[in-house]
Amino acid sequence: MRSLAVPPLFAALEPARTVLIAGAGGGFDVYAAIPLALALRDAGRTVHLANLSFTRLELLDLDAWAARDVAAVTPDTAGPDEYFPERALARWLAANGQPSTVYAFPQVGVQPLRDAYRHLVVALGADAVVLVDGGTDILMRGDEAGLGTPVEDMTSLAAVAGLDVPVKLVVCLGFGIDAYHGVNHTQVLENIAALDRDGLANRPLYLDRLEHTVGMRQVASRIEEFRDEVERRTPRAFPH
């Protein structure tokens, strides 16, 4: 029986001892993971942070790479000065007395990204993976009026869905912000209602088409191919 004193997210993570929390959509998505990471650490869990990166990771020194497609970014990692959210976060974590390594994945397709996740899960001993989306477009199933920016989110979702990990979850923070990317939030709520019945990895209608991709251009083209074939749902205004 669920307790009203324990949010469902924390109840789902109760069996986990080591949690890998990763920004699904790239950019600053990993920053949306900070409150959860700190709360889990306060509760005695070991937490590691990762992000699908928009940083030019090819500029990093060889010693920054923990494995193929896995960069271990620390406060002292040399790299671009103009844009490096993972290093900025690592420095903030260090300044606040927190473990400060932030793992960064390059923009690759499902197969290499899954291999990168698999390496981290084994190396860190993670028994839970939480994908964090800054927004809600990771909840889009493909036939909505607008998908937002699905390429990175769906690559992450497909990669993690194929991992052999006891607990796999998705967390969204920022309901409404994807309106700027064409998402109709009435359809978001419709999808959430359906997810309550079905579970997330079964909902995107085109996820199987992304399975064997090795690059993100492949992901983008296969999403567009699907969109050209499907009858899109008619958007309705959100009452407010």
Side-chain angles (χ1 to χ4, degrees):
M1 179 180 296
R2 290 182 178 179
S3 168
L4 292 176
V6 181
L9 174 61
F10 287 88
L13 288 170
E14 178 59 33
R17 301 277 75 95
T18 301
V19 184
L20 174 61
I21 309 179
F28 289 89
D29 271 11
V30 67
Y31 285 59
I34 295 173
L36 176 60
L38 296 181
L40 288 172
R41 284 174 177 171
D42 287 345
R45 305 298 198 281
T46 299
V47 179
H48 301 277
L49 292 170
N51 197 41
L52 183 63
S53 182
F54 292 165
T55 303
R56 295 184 61 195
L57 297 178
E58 69 273 13
L59 299 179
L60 302 188
D61 293 337
L62 289 178
D63 60 5
W65 294 92
R68 183 180 178 88
D69 295 325
V70 182
V73 179
T74 70
D76 299 321
T77 297
D81 292 327
E82 69 278 5
Y83 181 87
F84 203 164
E86 294 83 11
R87 186 179 59 195
L89 176 57
R91 289 174 175 175
W92 182 87
L93 290 167
N96 286 273
Q98 295 288 323
S100 58
T101 297
V102 179
Y103 296 96
F105 306 121
Q107 297 178 58
V108 293
V110 171
Q111 289 292 322
L113 185 59
R114 183 179 296 151
D115 288 341
Y117 267 103
R118 188 177 289 119
H119 169 84
L120 269 189
V121 165
V122 172
L124 302 176
D127 50 4
V129 177
V130 180
L131 287 176
V132 177
D133 181 26
T136 53
D137 50 3
I138 199 172
L139 302 179
M140 299 294 96
R141 49 181 233 173
D143 62 350
E144 295 82 6
L147 299 186
T149 55
V151 175
E152 293 81 11
D153 290 322
M154 289 300 123
T155 302
S156 296
L157 181 62
V160 170
L163 293 178
D164 183 16
V165 183
V167 179
K168 293 176 284 190
L169 300 171
V170 167
V171 174
C172 295
L173 182 66
F175 181 86
I177 65 173
D178 289 317
Y180 296 101
H181 295 138
V183 170
N184 177 270
H185 283 76
T186 298
Q187 293 182 336
V188 173
L189 294 175
E190 291 170 353
N191 289 358
I192 291 173
L195 286 172
D196 195 44
R197 298 188 297 268
D198 298 338
L200 179 58
N202 296 324
R203 294 304 297 172
L205 303 175
Y206 56 85
L207 210 63
D208 59 331
R209 302 191 185 201
L210 311 183
E211 178 62 26
H212 299 292
T213 56
V214 295
M216 281 202 171
R217 288 187 180 180
Q218 285 179 293
V219 175
S221 64
R222 293 185 186 185
I223 293 174
E224 286 304 313
E225 289 169 2
F226 171 81
R227 294 280 283 170
D228 289 339
E229 299 170 11
V230 72
E231 181 178 349
R232 303 181 190 183
R233 289 153 57 191
T234 302
R236 294 183 293 129
F238 182 75
H240 61 279

